[in-house]
Amino acid sequence: MTQAAMSQEERHHPVASAWRRWAVAVAAALLPIVLALGVGALILLALGADPGAFYYHIVKRGLLSWIGLQDTITRCAPLLLLGASLIVAFRAGLWNLGIDGQFLLAAVISAALAPVLVTVLPVWLVLPLVMVVAMAVGALWSLLPALLKAYHGVNEIVTTLMMSFLGISAANVLIKLPFDDPTTTVPQTATLATDDRLPRLFGSTINVGVAVGLAVILFIHWLMTRTAFGLRLRLVGANPRAAVHVGLPLGALMVAVFALSAGLAGLAGAVEILGVWGNVRADWNPAYGLMIIPLVFLARFNGIAVIGFVFFFAVLSIGGETASRKAGLPNYFILVLVALMLIFLALTEWLGQRRQMAARD
Amino acid sequence: MSQGLLSDAFLISLIAGAVAAGIPLLLAGLGEQVSEKAGVLNIGIEGMMLFGAYAGFATAFGTGSLWLGFLAGAAGGLVLALLMALFCVRLGLNQIVIGIALTLGADGITALLHHVQFSRTYPRLPRVETLDIPGLSEIPILGPSLFARHPMVYVALFSVLVLTWLFRKTHVGLNLQAAGDKPDALDAAGISVVSTRTWSVLFTGVMAGLGGAYMAMIGAGIFVPFMTGGAGFIAIVLAMLARGRPLWVLIGAFLFGASLSLTTALQVGGVNVPTDVVQMLPFLMVMIVLVLFARRASLPAALGLPYVRGQR
């Protein structure tokens, strides 16, 4: 809908509007964040914490210290892939709200598979192979919601959420029963040796996963905005009836969207395990899913903008751990911040639409 | 009493557990049914339940009165529902984005408040006094698990009847259905779509808040962060599958309640199954039901779409 407004402005002021467009877009993206941080500060005050110190520790730990910055950049890898996953689904008008289950199940399968495979195959082959398997696991976990949506019109919000809960429990069953490492006391999978994990970059603790994440999200952005295939998917989202009318196989395209989206969520799980943890402990669930949705919305489904927001969120989540500890609070404050951002995002969007409508009249 | 399945202890534990776990689902499911009927898909119901659970528990713990707790739970759900109504019905913002935001916010706020107030002591509420229905409560097995419960159970069951009557026999029921299926027609008949939907969302908030409060105060006797654990989402599914019939929500709620409480019942019966496997049961059931009855899970035509007069 912003595009409609742009073209109208351009008709009146063809040159000057380019700068204004950028300024408005940046302001519209930053305003919700600023407002959320402001209201968040009030909540911190109410909880008896010092908001200035809290935000200072977030920046200091997540951005300004070298160790923290490496953690932040490492954290970006799965988030970028999950962002790419959601861009595919949301641009095609499908709500894949099951990425947590897809992520976790793929992570557990990767953790079970990699330590076994490295004993028979060279590492350079094992790592990509495990990633492909993880993508297949994620895609498979979305097959049922995809088929139900594509051929029976069953609301995918509900089915993907249900499959997500199922996937999280199934992952725990797998860890505790078939994949349990008997040599450890806590239930967890076997551990992939540090030397066999994703290679690290330039002597830092950052692994190559973040490069994979960047490449994938740029590719997805290009795919969705610059190719005929992407255009078809967007048409499915924008107007399914028109899509049928021009002869697109609606059902097959929907299944493809789910497979791609859930496959990328599975890849995120593999990258997190092969790059950072090397194993999965029982009841481990970072629950990135609901957190990454607002970022994708803030970025208006734009892959390049998602990179910026993911980095911002990674700083917030790495720095937030330290800041919460210093303030004597649990790490749940980030949840509140994200919720506030979503609400202010929706409000800014609404104000923008009203402005456009006023301009048209 | 003998050990094993089909022993009295197992059955009593299963039925009692089904009621204890089913009542929150029933209350929330009925609420969601009303708002879905009116065309609002309330994803924020998980957050409303959690907020109600916290508000109910904190109030009951502070005042010692469960009824004040229920009042506070309803108010807690109502507060989030007011936000939902303002953003999604009045301003027409995306119902799913706002719903996720409310759930995330409730997750975070209640966990923080719990940390500040209760994390050192983890207080519990005393055992609940029950209202034994004379005669019925003495039936073996069924009696103690069905007819010797907290009065709120009977209120919840009674609301099934009230809603059935409301949907079938009154103008309010017709208006709700029109708001979800053909808002234009309702508008043309001179009844405001926006206020019909607003009231239905507020009703959902109250019911979800009551459900959450029941879960914390009576079901568990304690508040723990994220304790609703997807119950709100199950309520959404119940409402979807019930296709506007309150009685079906009731049946579904007790079926899911039974599968939720199966772990405890199995342990009472002397069978040990990993908790994670049993935790999958309710969600597995939802998927099976959806696969079997996929074509029949019909939803109102204008569900999830904001109503703007004169817009096509």
Side-chain angles (χ1 to χ4, degrees):
Chain A
M1 73 230 112
T2 35
Q3 250 149 7
M6 281 171 206
S7 59
Q8 211 170 32
E9 268 176 24
E10 271 163 4
R11 246 174 278 143
H12 297 302
H13 321 277
V15 188
S17 67
W19 278 108
R20 256 196 70 188
R21 241 166 62 192
W22 273 101
V24 168
V26 169
L30 291 184
L31 192 64
I33 295 181
V34 174
L35 288 172
L37 291 176
V39 176
L42 294 178
I43 295 176
L44 282 173
L45 273 179
L47 290 168
D50 173 7
F54 194 90
Y55 290 148
Y56 168 74
H57 283 302
I58 289 183
V59 175
K60 191 178 159 215
R61 160 78 184 168
L63 193 64
L64 300 180
S65 82
W66 174 231
I67 299 174
L69 186 62
Q70 292 179 76
D71 284 349
T72 299
I73 294 175
T74 309
R75 176 67 54 88
C76 284
L79 297 176
L80 285 171
L81 290 165
L82 292 172
S85 157
L86 290 180
I87 288 176
V88 174
F90 290 173
R91 278 205 184 241
L94 294 173
W95 292 91
N96 178 9
L97 299 190
I99 54 174
D100 276 340
Q102 293 148 11
F103 172 93
L104 203 59
L105 211 54
V108 170
I109 304 275
S110 309
L113 211 55
V116 179
L117 284 182
V118 285
T119 59
V120 285
L121 292 172
V123 176
W124 60 265
L125 187 61
V126 170
L127 294 175
L129 194 67
V130 170
M131 286 188 194
V132 171
V133 173
M135 288 184 78
V137 169
L140 202 65
W141 206 245
S142 78
L143 187 64
L144 199 54
L147 292 176
L148 283 173
K149 168 74 179 178
Y151 299 106
H152 292 301
V154 178
N155 189 314
E156 77 280 12
I157 298 172
V158 169
T159 50
T160 50
L161 272 172
M162 293 297 113
M163 289 303 280
S164 191
F165 285 114
L166 269 178
I168 292 165
S169 294
N172 276 319
V173 173
L174 288 178
I175 296 168
K176 286 172 190 166
L177 298 172
F179 298 157
D180 186 22
D181 180 2
T183 59
T184 56
T185 46
V186 280
Q188 63 174 50
T189 64
T191 306
L192 185 66
T194 319
D195 289 344
D196 297 336
R197 294 185 196 167
L198 291 177
R200 302 202 158 163
L201 297 170
F202 319 115
S204 66
T205 62
I206 304 165
N207 67 64
V208 77
V210 70
V212 175
L214 278 173
V216 166
I217 201 159
L218 290 175
F219 170 75
I220 290 295
H221 184 70
W222 172 80
L223 181 80
M224 294 306 285
T225 58
R226 299 285 185 276
T227 66
F229 180 68
L231 180 68
R232 285 192 197 113
L233 295 191
R234 279 184 292 146
L235 182 59
V236 169
N239 193 340
R241 278 164 78 184
V244 173
H245 224 71
V246 295
L248 292 181
L250 198 58
L253 282 176
M254 280 182 173
V255 174
V257 167
F258 269 110
L260 188 55
S261 171
L264 290 174
L267 182 60
V271 163
E272 182 81 343
I273 295 310
L274 299 177
V276 182
W277 301 102
N279 62 29
V280 183
R281 276 169 293 134
D283 300 319
W284 176 75
N285 177 15
Y288 294 134
L290 286 186
M291 306 289 229
I292 197 86
I293 292 171
L295 304 182
V296 175
F297 268 95
L298 275 169
R300 271 102 175 140
F301 308 161
N302 180 312
I304 293 158
V306 167
I307 299 174
F309 283 109
V310 157
F311 183 74
F312 169 77
F313 178 74
V315 171
L316 210 61
S317 85
I318 295 288
E321 286 164 16
T322 308
S324 298
R325 202 169 50 245
K326 296 221 164 159
L329 291 172
N331 200 15
Y332 305 129
F333 179 70
I334 304 298
L335 284 172
V336 180
L337 264 188
V338 172
L340 289 170
M341 274 181 221
L342 265 181
I343 290 174
F344 285 121
L345 161 77
L347 274 176
T348 350
E349 191 105 302
W350 176 74
L351 283 174
Q353 279 173 23
R354 275 199 19 153
R355 262 195 38 214
Q356 278 171 32
M357 262 147 66
R360 223 171 285 158
D361 290 340
Chain B
M1 242 177 265
S2 67
Q3 285 272 304
L5 293 178
L6 300 180
S7 67
D8 288 0
F10 171 76
L11 283 179
I12 291 177
S13 166
L14 184 65
I15 298 172
V19 175
I23 291 294
L25 293 177
L26 174 63
L27 287 165
L30 289 175
E32 180 75 20
Q33 185 164 52
V34 170
S35 91
E36 277 186 20
K37 227 179 215 301
V40 182
L41 181 63
N42 190 346
I43 296 268
I45 194 167
E46 175 84 9
M48 294 176 192
M49 284 185 84
L50 197 57
F51 215 60
Y54 170 77
F57 176 79
T59 310
F61 181 69
T63 63
S65 157
L66 284 183
W67 290 110
L68 281 179
F70 275 118
L71 203 65
L78 188 66
V79 169
L80 289 199
L82 275 170
L83 289 176
M84 179 101 193
L86 171 69
F87 290 135
C88 300
V89 181
R90 301 268 155 176
L91 303 186
L93 303 181
N94 188 314
Q95 294 174 6
I96 295 164
V97 174
I98 294 297
I100 291 174
L102 290 181
T103 296
L104 279 180
D107 274 354
I109 289 275
T110 53
L112 283 173
L113 287 171
H114 171 264
H115 176 84
V116 173
Q117 289 175 288
F118 305 128
S119 68
R120 276 180 207 88
T121 50
Y122 273 92
R124 277 185 163 276
L125 292 177
R127 254 189 83 80
V128 182
E129 80 281 17
T130 55
L131 176 65
D132 297 5
I133 298 179
L136 289 175
S137 63
E138 280 139 40
I139 306 171
I141 300 177
L142 282 182
S145 42
L146 281 184
F147 299 109
R149 316 291 307 207
H150 186 265
M152 195 63 197
V153 172
Y154 312 123
V155 173
L157 293 174
F158 187 65
S159 59
V160 174
L161 291 180
V162 174
L163 281 180
T164 310
W165 170 78
L166 196 79
F167 290 159
R168 290 234 185 117
K169 304 278 183 198
T170 67
H171 280 290
V172 177
L174 267 180
N175 291 348
L176 281 174
Q177 185 142 13
D181 268 331
K182 206 129 185 64
D184 301 338
L186 187 64
D187 202 11
I191 293 160
S192 164
V193 176
V194 168
S195 60
T196 309
R197 287 185 173 181
T198 303
W199 285 112
S200 71
V201 169
L202 299 186
F203 178 77
T204 311
V206 169
M207 294 295 272
L210 285 177
Y214 184 93
M215 187 182 255
M217 298 190 308
I218 299 176
I222 188 172
F223 179 84
V224 256
F226 317 119
M227 71 180 299
T228 45
F233 297 125
I234 294 186
I236 296 175
V237 178
L238 286 178
M240 261 177 77
L241 290 173
R243 290 193 298 158
R245 270 173 265 166
L247 187 63
W248 285 37
V249 178
L250 173 75
I251 296 168
F254 285 143
L255 276 178
F256 286 111
S259 61
L260 279 174
S261 65
L262 202 58
T263 326
T264 345
L266 283 173
Q267 276 159 2
V268 171
V271 183
N272 249 326
V273 179
T275 331
D276 294 292
V277 176
V278 182
Q279 269 173 2
M280 292 165 77
L281 279 178
F283 304 111
L284 202 62
M285 267 180 63
V286 174
M287 288 311 293
I288 292 172
V289 170
L290 280 174
V291 170
L292 291 179
F293 303 108
R295 261 166 274 196
R296 295 196 215 152
S298 74
L299 289 171
L303 186 67
L305 305 173
Y307 180 68
V308 183
R309 184 177 282 179
Q311 192 188 56
R312 297 226 145 227

